[in-house]
Amino acid sequence: MEIGPYSFEEFLKVVESFHGHQSPGVILGGFMVSYALEQLPRGILIDAVSETPACLPDAIQLLTPCTLGNGWLKVINLGRFALSLYEKYEGKGVRVFIDPAKLDGRPQIRNWLFKLIPKSEQDRDLLIAEIRQAGRSILGMRPVRLKREHLGKTRRGAISNCGMCGEPYPERDGLVCRACQGQSPYV
Ligand code: ZN
């Protein structure tokens, strides 16, 4: 089973170099993205939603032109290991998810997905072998259409210098920038 333009072994290497290790979530995500891509007409502009910040955004960035940086990929954290790819302007596309009803006989994937055993006790090679064997057979897919408010560009409006830190920020965030409103992560 190929994953986009890659053989399975090639994809493992690509994942390792981009993500830092052979992440089961990104590898499974590769099957999810290539499954979704095949459902869409060729030659259209695609946007993507990942329903989790974990793993799936990297699979989408590796296999589609959609990145967080170019804004074609959005993370909408619904806590589900699922993604959708859709035509940019009309928002028609497909959503791919893991179907729990299809996990019988897939103990490694079940243990991983439901965190039934500690990560340190999970045999990752065995898990990756099971993901390879399972491929798309554990996935579900359905057509989706995005709500209008999720289509098109998000505009930031006017920019001015923050009165406290002096750096440029979108005026619509308030009188001072978000960092100076207390949202800064830094000590
Ligand atoms: Zn500021």
Side-chain angles (χ1 to χ4, degrees), residues 21-24 108 119 121-129:
H21 64 277
Q22 293 184 2
S23 151
Q108 304 296 330
K119 213 171 180 178
E121 286 170 32
Q122 175 110 50
D123 184 331
R124 201 159 73 184
D125 291 343
L126 213 55
L127 172 58
I128 289 172

Side-chain angles (χ1 to χ4, degrees), residues 37-56:
L37 273 175
E38 283 178 25
Q39 314 307 314
L40 299 175
R42 287 184 191 277
I44 62 169
L45 291 176
I46 291 172
D47 276 1
V49 165
S50 173
E51 297 184 15
T52 171
C55 297
L56 289 185

Side-chain angles (χ1 to χ4, degrees), residues 162 164-166 177 180:
C162 170
M164 287 179 76
C165 67
C177 81
C180 295

Side-chain angles (χ1 to χ4, degrees), residues 10 12 18 37 57 85 113 127 148 171-172:
E10 285 168 346
L12 292 184
F18 186 70
L37 273 175
L85 300 182
L113 184 65
L127 172 58
R148 179 82 20 209
E171 281 178 9
R172 70 162 191 201

